[in-house]
């Protein structure tokens, strides 16, 4: 169990740089792949919240893309009258600002049921933000594994000691956008920076180069069009609006973690949930429920308000408005300018660090006459249900796909030590609750990153209404 401070003895990692040296320091300090506090939640309710809806994601994505296209036409139609100022402002906010939350949700693969639909919008949003798709996937995996661990999490956007002037400057996105562009150019030239080498596994690095070349190629076409047409419109519409709309990324992004605690293992201490109005929530895709998202990344954005309702009594009180969040952040920044170790104090309700939403365990199985493991009545397995079943030293997950097939596979994700019994069934696949890797329930094949290796699967039979798992290849399961 982890106490509510969730931290360990402080270890000096002096910089925020992502390097192998800092990774080693963080690892030795026990900051890497730690067990994080989780609130209790009813397993049936969690399954309901994990459900994916192509309809919801299609409507929301169509609205965002539709508004972006309309605003783009307005930019062309009004160029360059006074009306072009609001046209460009709206287009840029949608293109270079609201794309951030789409990048995020599609990167998790949770918005659409369709993996391909998530990927298509993910690549589009990456281009709009000038983010290399593969690097940022790996960066975000780590952000979720080791959130706000100094020198290890590559997405600590507001670092200490903070500077009000530097923070205001960031809203222009001139520096941030330029750095992203230069990074793409460098990677397109085949030279990966140290952070990319640290984050991206060797077998994916060529992909980083290829993606960068494609993105730079499209940007160059926009530049050539601008020169040929003698009009700034192509570069404003493609690429330029990443800079012009980047302020919105900062506007929402600062509310996520700024001013909160570092090197702790409790998202309630390093992450903020802020109540926002419907327009902000559309632009930001409900990421204002950020604590909830970090605790349960398998819950899609449209179910985060309901998840908040389920677990809010176990969290710190949500900030009542965006303004309240900014007041808290500015106050923390002022204190941290004087004392960089200052952290916003929070009173938290006690929760069990190893609380898990799904727990069946060793008591819930019986040995059958032929050595099979009987795990329950067939009628007790609902569609999309998963059960963690511990059998001696082994832990398996038994479940039913959405089409009704029963399956059993090894319980632990092959990417890291996370149990799949807490994950979600999406169609015929099982999704890891931590970084949303997916596996084919029938074959165990890894079908979505970051998992590379597949799972061992076990035959399942039904006899006299009872579900049995045959642990082939496991000589002694103990009991
Ligand atoms: S632990 Fe990372 S995808 Fe499963």
């Amino acid at each position: 169990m982890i106490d509510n401070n969730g931290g360990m003895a402080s270890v000096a990692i002096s910089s925020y740089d992502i390097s192998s040296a800092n990774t080693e320091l963080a690892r030795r300090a026990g900051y890497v792949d730690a067990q994080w506090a989780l609130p209790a939640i009813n397993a049936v309710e969690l399954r309901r919240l994990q459900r994916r809806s192509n309809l919801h994601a299609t409507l929301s994505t169509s609205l965002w893309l539709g508004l972006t296209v309309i605003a783009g036409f307005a930019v062309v139609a009004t160029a360059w009258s006074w009306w072009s100022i609001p046209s460009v402002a709206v287009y840029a906010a949608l293109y270079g600002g609201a794309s951030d939350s789409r990048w995020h949700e599609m990167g998790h693969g949770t918005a659409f049921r369709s993996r391909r639909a998530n990927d298509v919008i993910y690549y589009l949003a990456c281009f709009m933000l000038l983010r290399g798709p593969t690097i940022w996937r790996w960066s975000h995996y780590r952000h979720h594994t080791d959130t706000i661990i100094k020198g290890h999490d590559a997405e600590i956007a507001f670092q200490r000691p903070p500077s009000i002037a530097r923070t205001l400057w960031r809203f222009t996105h001139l520096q941030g956008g330029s750095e992203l562009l230069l990074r793409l150019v460098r990677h397109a030239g085949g030279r990966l920076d140290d952070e990319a080498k640290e984050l991206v596994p060797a077998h994916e690095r060529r992909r980083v180069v290829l993606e960068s070349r494609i993105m730079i190629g499209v940007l160059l076409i926009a530049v050539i069009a601008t020169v040929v047409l003698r009009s700034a419109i192509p570069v404003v519409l493609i690429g330029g609006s990443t800079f012009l709309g980047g302020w919105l990324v900062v506007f929402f992004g600062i509310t996520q973690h700024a001013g909160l605690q570092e090197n702790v293992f409790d998202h309630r201490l390093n992450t903020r949930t802020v109540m926002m109005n419907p327009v902000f929530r559309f632009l930001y895709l409900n990421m204002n429920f950020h604590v909830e998202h970090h605790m349960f990344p398998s819950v899609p954005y449209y179910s985060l308000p309901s998840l908040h309702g389920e677990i809010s009594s176990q969290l710190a009180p949500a900030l009542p408005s965006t303004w309240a969040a900014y007041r808290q952040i500015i106050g923390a920044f002022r204190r941290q300018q004087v004392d960089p170790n200052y952290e916003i104090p929070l009173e938290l309700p006690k929760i069990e660090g190893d609380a898990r939403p799904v727990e069946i365990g060793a008591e819930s199985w019986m040995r059958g006459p032929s050595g099979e493991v009987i795990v329950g009545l067939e009628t007790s397995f609902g569609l999309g249900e998963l059960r963690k079943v511990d059998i001696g030293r082994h832990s398996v997950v038994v479940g039913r796909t959405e089409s009704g097939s029963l399956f059993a596979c090894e319980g632990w994700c092959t990417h890291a030590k996370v149990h799949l019994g807490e994950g979600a069934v999406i169609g015929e696949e099982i999704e890891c609750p931590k970084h949303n890797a997916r596996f084919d329930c029938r074959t165990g094949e890894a079908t979505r990153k970051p998992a590379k290796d597949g799972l061992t699967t076990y035959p399942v039979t039904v006899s006299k209404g009872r579900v049995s798992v045959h642990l082939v290849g496991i000589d002694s399961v103990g009991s």
Side-chain angles (χ1 to χ4, degrees), residues 320-339:
S321 66
T322 312
W323 173 235
Y326 268 80
R327 272 206 318 263
Q328 187 188 63
I329 293 162
I330 292 167
F333 278 9
R334 285 210 174 113
R335 298 280 296 264
Q336 287 174 347
Q337 284 179 314
V338 181
D339 173 11

Side-chain angles (χ1 to χ4, degrees), residues 237-250:
L237 292 180
I238 300 173
S241 286
T242 306
F243 290 79
L244 297 171
W247 66 271
L248 193 58
V249 177
V250 182

Side-chain angles (χ1 to χ4, degrees), residues 55-81:
L55 178 67
H56 199 299
T58 302
L59 289 175
S60 170
T61 306
S62 302
L63 181 59
W64 165 60
L65 285 176
L67 289 172
T68 308
V69 170
I70 291 169
F73 276 117
V75 170
V76 176
T78 59
W80 296 105
S81 67

Side-chain angles (χ1 to χ4, degrees), residues 413-418 420 432-437 439 449-451:
C413 180
T414 57
H415 175 235
K417 188 94 173 145
V418 170
L420 295 166
C432 176
K434 189 74 178 173
H435 308 110
N436 310 93
F439 303 88
K449 285 188 274 195

